[in-house]
């Protein structure tokens, strides 16, 4: 094999962006629209939800030989993600006794091609955790700084929801929400009876067409990516339009290795990368470098960008890069609702996500854990997929048969076949998504012993949940049962107890990781300033969730989009003022 | 959906694609020359298309095992007034594929089929598939009801639970099974809310 050699392309771009997900896509869009020449480096392949080459939308279960099983795609055979928890040749590790699961998608648009489209604003209190509760950290910014950008993101991308006037779940500029489905109406009624609010979801799905995108046609398959561009994917809504400006050079299969800096000035001058199809070493030059490779990958890039001047990794004079890594908490429970047996059939596919959710409704001052959570709901008469019918022996003796007589669990034959019909659409699920307390002791670092197939040193994680998160999960489980009982439902399986941390999912599993290059006013304990600009390197910016000091219980992507837009505006302003 | 056709017009070449890589030709040098390219269906990644092609070319079940799976499958989901049986919906072929796709099932499946044959041979002197229908049902009755089964049949119960799951998935994810179940989605639609008669049935409304 050839010895890899570094070749420098002559062109100097105004901006080099690493990663084309929510953060990178928004920056590429804003900066190119403002007239900048942009080089967008994306490790994965090209992806366009409307190109038949990539479409899985509207396929039937039987068009998959595994009937949709998640053998090669974690969220099912038709899911749009190219990647997952494990990617061949791109390992990561965790320190013994700790755990972190890292979901990566290698494609244009990153994980926004198949995300849940839950698009929540952080509320005023979410930015001020330390002042309000004494633990955690404040942002150097407040809701008032983000509100205009949230508004602009709502208008550009589109999100449905309802005006509720809740202080910490601020309203946006919403499209009309879809009506709740049957099980969601039942959940709403049950919630009301026990004081748990159940309101329309806030999802970036076009219930009315906006700009030049199509409207939702209610196939419930946003996870497969929408060929009508009716849901938000960075590929369709940001990257492809950005490339159409003619000012963006998109390089797919460009796996960034390091940010290159000038030894004298200490400024970033470009990015070196491995060209994946040819496995050759390349680099591009830029006047500004913007990192958006996703929270952990951005930390990895910074830590790997070592030089004589930056021996600790780039922008890491504080030593904070990689630290304060935090993911949402998550716990869930399923239930069987006898009232939903023998349902009338009709098409209730709806949008690709729940039509209702429960924003956090309690006061943590009166509870034994410091942070809140919201609840997401599932259920309905969906397309039967792999897994349908497994576990019937745990269910079909709960209620009497058609003849009113008790039934033995399990069985076979015509009677069992009929049970599948009777039970179809009678299950619901609920999942809590909570705010964790960011800790310095939860971090990722460069593994001293391992490199990936590109020869790039890999990440090693060190992450453990604290008491705050475990107690929160316990509260979730109690709430789930209350809701299920209020619905006249039967909770499935055993209630998760202390032996499983109350069903608290392992760190990383909820895929809302943030915090590894947090912003702050003090360069001693933060990596970026309030413009997501590196304290140490003024032409280096981070526009993914690495920049966030905390995340509320608000699924981070809408804030990534708002912050990337705000940072892009600042970059444009600073270039105009000749500061960078 | 109307957008779709106009979107198709956006081709890769109109996107100002980066054709700037000077070393693209080096790609050939790292590709083995004699691999037959697999056709990649829409929505698949290359490695998935190659993997599926390989799995489809492999065989897992012996003819006897496949026969047993077919007989057992049709006992679990027989034809009735509404639809056909598990085998009529192609379930055995689906189960065969899953054994190759997720090899962790291979031992419980193959071993379970042997367990079943062994029990039948001891009792009836014949393997399960060769037994009389009444004999097959006698055994199935002893492993199909976890709450009633004798302790010495516990392995059979576990096997049957697995089998019941595979057969149900295979049947109800087939065209025949989806129709039987009455799933009417997966098509462009307008969601206007729960039908009025259903709201009434459940005593619910949209104006609370
Ligand atoms: C199943 C699922 C459901 C989700 N649901 C929701 C939800 O409902 N609401 C919500 O708010 N969030 C949700 N999320 C999280 C959401 O997807 C992420 O917050 C969001 O995509 C992060 O955007 P990003 O730009 O930081 O990174 P990504 O979207 O991950 O994009 C990063 C991009 O950078 C590329 N890249 C990585 N490393 C390199 C490198 N070295 N060189 C070049 N390119 C590189 C990657 O290939 C990728 O394309 C979900 C995630 C998943 C997986
Ligand atoms: S539910 Fe609507 S937005 Fe989502 S994929 Fe289907 S049509 Fe597109």
């Amino acid at each position: 094999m050839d010895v890899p050699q570094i070749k420098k392309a002559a062109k100097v771009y105004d901006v080099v962006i690493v990663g084309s997900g929510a953060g990178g896509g928004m920056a590429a869009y804003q900066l190119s629209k403002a007239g900048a020449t942009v080089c967008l480096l994306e490790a994965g392949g090209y992806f366009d939800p409307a190109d038949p080459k990539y479409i899985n939308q509207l396929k039937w279960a039987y068009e998959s030989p595994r009937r949709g099983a998640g053998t090669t795609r974690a969220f099912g055979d038709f899911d749009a993600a190219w990647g997952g928890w494990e990617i061949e040749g791109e390992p990561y590790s965790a320190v013994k006794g700790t755990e972190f699961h890292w979901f990566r998608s290698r494609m244009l648009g990153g994980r926004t091609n198949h995300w849940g489209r839950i698009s929540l604003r952080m509320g005023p209190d979410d930015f001020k955790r330390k002042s309000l509760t004494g633990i955690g950290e404040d942002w150097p910014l407040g809701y008032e700084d983000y509100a205009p950008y949230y508004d602009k993101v709502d208008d550009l991308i589109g999100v449905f929801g309802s005006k509720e006037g809740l202080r910490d779940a601020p309203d946006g500029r919403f499209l009309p929400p879809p009506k709740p489905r049957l099980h969601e109406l039942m959940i709403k009624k049950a919630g009301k009876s026990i004081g748990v609010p159940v309101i329309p979801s806030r999802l970036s799905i076009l219930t009315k067409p906006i700009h030049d995108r199509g409207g939702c046609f209610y196939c419930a398959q946003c996870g497969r990516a929408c060929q009508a561009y009716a849901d938000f994917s960075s590929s369709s809504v940001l990257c492809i339009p950005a490339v159409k400006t003619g000012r963006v050079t998109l390089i797919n299969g460009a796996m960034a290795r390091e940010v290159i800096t000038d030894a004298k000035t200490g400024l970033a001058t470009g990015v070196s990368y491995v060209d994946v199809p040819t496995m050759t070493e390349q680099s591009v030059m830029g006047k500004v470098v913007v990192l958006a490779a996703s929270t952990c990958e951005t930390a990895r890039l910074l830590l790997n960008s070592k030089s004589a001047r930056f021996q600790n990794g780039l922008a890491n004079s504080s030593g904070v890069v990689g630290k304060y890594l935090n993911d949402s908490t998550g716990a869930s429970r399923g239930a069987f609702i006898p009232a939903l047996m023998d349902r009338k059939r009709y098409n209730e596919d709806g949008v690709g996500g729940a039509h209702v959710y429960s924003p956090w409704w309690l006061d943590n001052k009166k509870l034994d854990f410091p942070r809140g959570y919201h609840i997401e709901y599932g259920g309905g008469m969906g397309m039967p997929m792999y897994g349908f019918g497994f576990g019937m022996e745990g269910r079909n003796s709960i209620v009497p048969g058609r003849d009113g007589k008790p039934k033995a669990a399990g069985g076979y034959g015509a009677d069992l076949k009929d049970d599948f019909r009777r039970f179809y659409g009678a299950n619901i699920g609920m999942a809590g998504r909570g705010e964790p307390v960011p800790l310095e002791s939860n971090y990722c670092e460069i593994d001293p012993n391992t490199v990936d197939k590109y020869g790039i040193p890999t990440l090693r994680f060190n992450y453990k949940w604290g008491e705050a998160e475990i107690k929160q999960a316990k509260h979730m489980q109690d709430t789930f049962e209350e809701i299920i009982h209020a619905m006249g439902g039967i909770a499935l399986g055993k209630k998760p107890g202390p032996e499983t941390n109350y069903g608290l999912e392992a760190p990383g599993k909820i895929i809302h990781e943030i915090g590894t290059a947090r912003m702050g006013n003090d360069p001693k304990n933060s990596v970026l300033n309030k413009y997501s600009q590196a304290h140490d390197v003024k032409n280096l910016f981070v526009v993914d969730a690495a920049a966030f000091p905390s995340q509320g219980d608000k699924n981070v992507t809408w804030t990534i989009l708002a912050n990337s837009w705000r940072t892009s505006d600042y970059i444009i302003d600073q270039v105009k003022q000749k500061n960078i | 959906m109307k957008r779709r056709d106009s979107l198709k017009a956006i081709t890769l070449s109109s996107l100002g694609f980066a054709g700037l890589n000077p070393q693209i030709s080096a790609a050939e040098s790292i590709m083995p020359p004699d691999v037959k390219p697999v056709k990649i269906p829409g929505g698949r990644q290359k490695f998935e298309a190659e993997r599926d092609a390989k799995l489809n070319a492999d065989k897992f079940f012996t003819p006897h095992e496949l026969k047993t799976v077919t007989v057992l499958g049709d006992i679990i989901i027989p034809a009735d007034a509404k639809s056909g049986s598990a085998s009529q919906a192609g379930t055995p072929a689906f189960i065969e594929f899953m054994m190759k796709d997720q090899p962790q099932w291979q031992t419980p499946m193959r071993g379970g089929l042997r367990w079943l044959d062994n029990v039948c041979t001891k009792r009836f002197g014949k393997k399960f598939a060769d037994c009389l229908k009444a004999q097959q049902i006698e055994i199935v009755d002893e492993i199909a009801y976890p709450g009633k089964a004798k302790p010495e049949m516990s392995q059979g119960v576990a096997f049957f639970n697995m089998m019941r799951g595979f057969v149900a998935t295979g049947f109800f994810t087939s065209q025949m099974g989806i129709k039987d179940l009455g799933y009417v989605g997966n098509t462009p639609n307008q969601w206007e809310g729960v039908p009025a008669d259903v709201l009434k049935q459940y005593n619910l409304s949209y104006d609370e």
Side-chain angles (χ1 to χ4, degrees):
Chain A
M1 231 172 103
D2 287 348
V3 179
Q5 44 179 295
I6 304 221
K7 278 209 183 163
K8 286 186 188 166
K11 180 165 173 145
V12 180
Y13 293 91
D14 291 333
V15 187
V16 176
I17 301 174
V18 182
S20 66
M26 180 58 93
Y29 186 91
Q30 296 304 337
L31 294 167
S32 64
K33 292 267 173 184
T37 57
V38 173
C39 182
L40 180 56
L41 299 177
E42 167 50 54
Y46 188 77
F47 181 78
D48 176 352
D51 186 329
K53 258 211 302 253
Y54 309 117
I55 293 177
N56 281 316
Q57 194 183 24
L58 295 181
K59 282 188 186 162
W60 291 94
Y62 47 81
E63 291 177 73
S64 154
R66 56 190 64 75
R67 309 291 168 91
T71 315
T72 61
R73 303 190 186 203
F75 294 97
D77 211 23
F78 294 133
D79 189 79
W82 294 349
W85 308 108
E86 310 294 337
I87 296 180
E88 195 160 308
E90 300 193 42
Y92 57 89
S93 57
V95 167
K96 217 173 159 213
T98 81
E99 205 178 353
F100 192 83
H101 300 264
W102 188 16
F103 195 104
R104 294 160 291 172
S105 288
R106 293 271 181 259
M107 62 201 298
L108 184 67
R111 294 175 293 180
T112 64
N113 292 300
H114 54 84
W115 67 308
R117 272 77 180 185
I118 298 173
S119 305
L120 304 175
R121 297 176 175 214
M122 298 206 350
D125 294 350
D126 290 330
F127 293 93
K128 300 196 176 353
R129 286 301 182 214
K130 188 174 187 180
S131 354
L132 290 171
T133 69
I135 52 170
E137 192 53 86
D138 286 352
W139 287 52
L141 297 160
Y143 180 69
E144 58 293 350
D145 298 296
Y146 282 100
Y149 284 97
Y150 281 133
D151 284 353
K152 293 204 264 187
V153 171
D154 291 357
D155 288 345
L156 175 69
I157 292 177
V159 53
F160 69 70
S162 57
K163 299 265 183 206
E164 301 286 338
L166 301 168
R167 176 180 161 77
D168 236 32
D171 295 333
R173 296 165 60 88
F174 292 133
L175 300 168
K179 286 184 174 169
R181 288 166 284 208
L182 181 58
H183 64 279
E184 293 165 332
L185 282 173
M186 295 171 86
I187 289 167
K188 196 173 152 193
K189 190 172 165 187
K192 201 170 180 181
S193 73
I194 56 168
V196 177
V198 179
I199 66 169
S201 296
R202 295 166 173 188
L203 309 182
S204 42
I205 294 172
L206 303 186
T207 47
K208 270 190 180 155
I210 58 166
H211 309 307
D212 57 348
R213 292 158 56 201
C216 175
F217 53 82
Y218 303 98
C219 74
Q221 294 170 12
C222 296
R224 305 187 189 186
C226 187
Q227 61 191 278
Y229 292 1
D231 56 12
F232 170 67
S233 295
S234 176
S235 53
S236 54
V237 180
L238 298 173
C239 296
I240 291 172
V243 170
K244 282 211 250 165
T245 63
R247 285 185 285 275
V248 176
T249 302
L250 166 65
I251 309 183
N252 281 109
M255 179 71 189
R257 174 188 290 281
E258 276 175 49
V259 178
I260 310 166
T261 48
D262 184 289
K264 272 217 289 290
T265 62
L267 292 175
T269 56
V271 175
S272 70
Y273 66 92
V274 177
D275 183 66
V276 177
T278 58
M279 287 302 267
T280 54
E281 297 290 326
Q282 306 287 338
S283 64
V284 287
M285 295 309 176
K287 295 174 199 157
V288 171
V289 171
V290 174
L291 299 183
S294 81
T295 295
C296 299
E297 187 74 31
T298 286
R300 181 183 176 204
L301 269 165
L302 290 172
L303 293 170
N304 273 331
S305 301
K306 280 188 196 162
S307 60
R309 183 166 178 149
F310 300 108
Q311 299 194 0
N312 227 355
L314 192 58
N316 195 23
S317 61
S318 62
V320 168
V321 172
K323 291 182 180 162
Y324 300 100
L325 170 64
N326 65 99
D327 183 27
S328 294
T329 58
S332 60
R333 193 84 194 269
F336 159 59
I337 311 296
L340 284 174
M341 282 183 83
D342 301 312
R343 297 181 60 176
K344 180 177 168 177
R345 308 305 204 237
Y346 53 91
N347 183 347
E348 68 166 0
D349 275 352
V351 302
H355 292 192
V356 299
Y357 88 115
S358 294
W360 179 233
W361 66 102
L362 295 172
D363 181 356
N364 289 96
K365 286 197 201 90
K366 297 176 187 147
L367 297 163
D368 66 350
F369 55 99
R371 302 287 194 265
Y373 61 89
H374 70 258
I375 308 175
E376 302 170 4
Y377 301 99
M381 297 183 284
M383 191 194 305
M385 294 293 246
Y386 181 78
F388 182 97
F390 275 88
M392 185 51 113
E393 65 278 4
R395 212 153 304 175
N396 65 345
S397 66
I398 296 178
V399 281
R402 274 193 202 277
D403 56 6
K405 291 194 190 124
K407 276 181 76 110
Y412 65 93
D415 191 50
L416 173 76
K417 193 177 180 187
D418 192 42
D419 277 347
F420 290 116
R421 298 174 188 135
R422 302 195 68 204
F423 281 76
Y424 175 54
N427 277 359
I428 59 157
M430 46 192 81
R433 296 287 179 259
E435 176 176 4
V437 176
L439 299 174
E440 191 180 3
S441 55
N442 286 337
Y443 59 88
C444 58
E445 62 188 340
I446 299 299
D447 188 324
N449 307 314
T450 313
V451 293
D452 65 10
K453 67 178 169 190
Y454 308 111
I456 304 173
T458 60
L459 283 182
R460 179 167 69 187
F461 291 91
N462 192 323
Y463 197 125
K464 267 189 190 160
W465 288 125
E467 272 304 297
E469 289 77 28
I470 295 167
K471 284 182 171 154
Q472 191 193 50
K474 177 176 189 301
H475 194 271
M476 290 181 192
Q477 295 296 353
D478 293 341
T479 306
F480 299 156
E481 287 209 336
E482 249 192 287
I483 297 172
I484 293 165
H485 294 151
M487 290 177 80
I490 294 155
L492 293 172
K494 194 172 148 273
K495 183 176 182 179
E499 67 292 344
T500 62
N501 284 343
Y502 305 94
L504 179 60
E505 297 277 358
K509 282 282 181 180
I510 307 304
I511 325 180
H512 296 153
E513 69 283 0
I514 69 151
T516 53
R518 66 180 192 172
M519 58 169 96
N521 290 325
D522 183 354
K524 282 202 278 309
N525 65 21
S526 62
V527 179
L528 310 167
N529 67 18
K530 64 181 176 180
Y531 297 105
S532 298
Q533 177 179 33
H535 289 301
D536 302 349
V537 188
K538 68 177 180 183
N539 68 340
L540 177 67
F541 295 82
V542 172
V543 297
D544 55 32
F548 300 171
S550 70
Q551 59 172 302
D553 61 281
K554 304 292 171 29
N555 306 26
V556 291
T557 308
W558 222 241
T559 305
I560 296 177
L561 291 161
N563 188 59
S564 178
W565 193 329
R566 184 175 183 275
T567 304
S568 301
D569 279 358
Y570 179 75
I571 293 173
I572 295 160
D573 173 71
Q574 290 298 293
V575 168
K576 280 192 187 141
Q577 295 195 39
K578 305 215 177 341
N579 288 341
I580 49 175
Chain B
M1 277 299 269
K2 262 187 247 128
R3 287 280 308 144
R4 188 176 161 186
D5 290 333
S6 60
L7 290 170
K8 266 190 215 152
I10 307 170
T11 59
L12 297 191
S13 55
S14 69
L15 290 173
F17 232 74
L20 49 68
N21 201 308
Q23 297 197 9
I24 268 335
S25 61
E28 278 133 46
S29 63
I30 53 173
M31 295 282 197
D34 56 344
V35 223
K36 248 202 266 121
V38 167
K39 196 177 164 300
I40 305 171
R44 298 291 85 197
Q45 300 167 86
K46 183 160 173 272
F47 89 89
E48 292 171 314
E50 287 166 356
R51 186 174 177 276
D52 284 358
K54 190 180 167 297
L55 296 183
N56 280 321
D58 289 351
K59 241 192 171 51
F60 174 72
F61 285 132
T62 64
H64 171 73
E65 285 170 337
L66 191 62
K67 189 174 158 200
T68 311
V69 167
T70 305
V71 171
L72 197 54
D74 284 354
I75 289 174
I76 292 171
I77 297 204
D80 64 0
K82 202 165 175 195
S83 65
S85 71
S87 67
Q88 284 165 347
T91 302
F94 157 71
I95 299 175
E96 156 84 19
F97 183 86
M98 287 316 296
M99 296 305 117
K100 298 176 293 197
D101 191 46
Q102 300 189 355
Q104 73 268 26
W105 296 107
Q106 290 182 0
T107 300
M109 177 61 73
R110 178 153 279 155
L113 292 168
R114 273 200 171 252
W115 179 95
L116 188 64
D117 275 347
N118 187 41
V119 169
C120 290
T121 311
K122 274 192 202 148
R123 199 177 299 180
F124 308 117
K126 273 184 253 161
K127 290 179 174 175
F128 179 80
D130 304 324
C131 285
L132 299 172
K133 184 82 199 235
Q135 295 170 327
Q136 289 169 347
I137 295 297
E138 182 182 316
I139 299 294
V140 166
D141 273 327
E142 291 178 37
I143 57 178
Y145 299 95
K148 298 199 290 194
K150 294 200 190 92
E152 63 268 27
M153 300 303 266
S154 61
Q155 291 86 0
V157 169
F159 165 68
F160 197 83
N161 284 343
M162 172 184 76
M163 212 47 199
R164 189 193 293 108
F166 272 117
V167 171
T169 280
F171 181 80
F172 285 107
T173 57
S174 71
Q175 202 164 6
M176 182 193 285
I178 288 174
K179 187 157 174 266
D180 176 315
L181 207 57
Y183 169 71
V184 287
N186 196 35
T187 179
N189 184 35
Q190 278 305 317
W191 169 251
E192 313 277 5
V194 179
D197 58 328
V198 176
L199 280 178
K200 205 164 152 223
Q201 180 194 344
Y202 288 90
N203 204 9
L204 291 164
S205 82
Y206 279 113
D207 351 279
E208 283 159 56

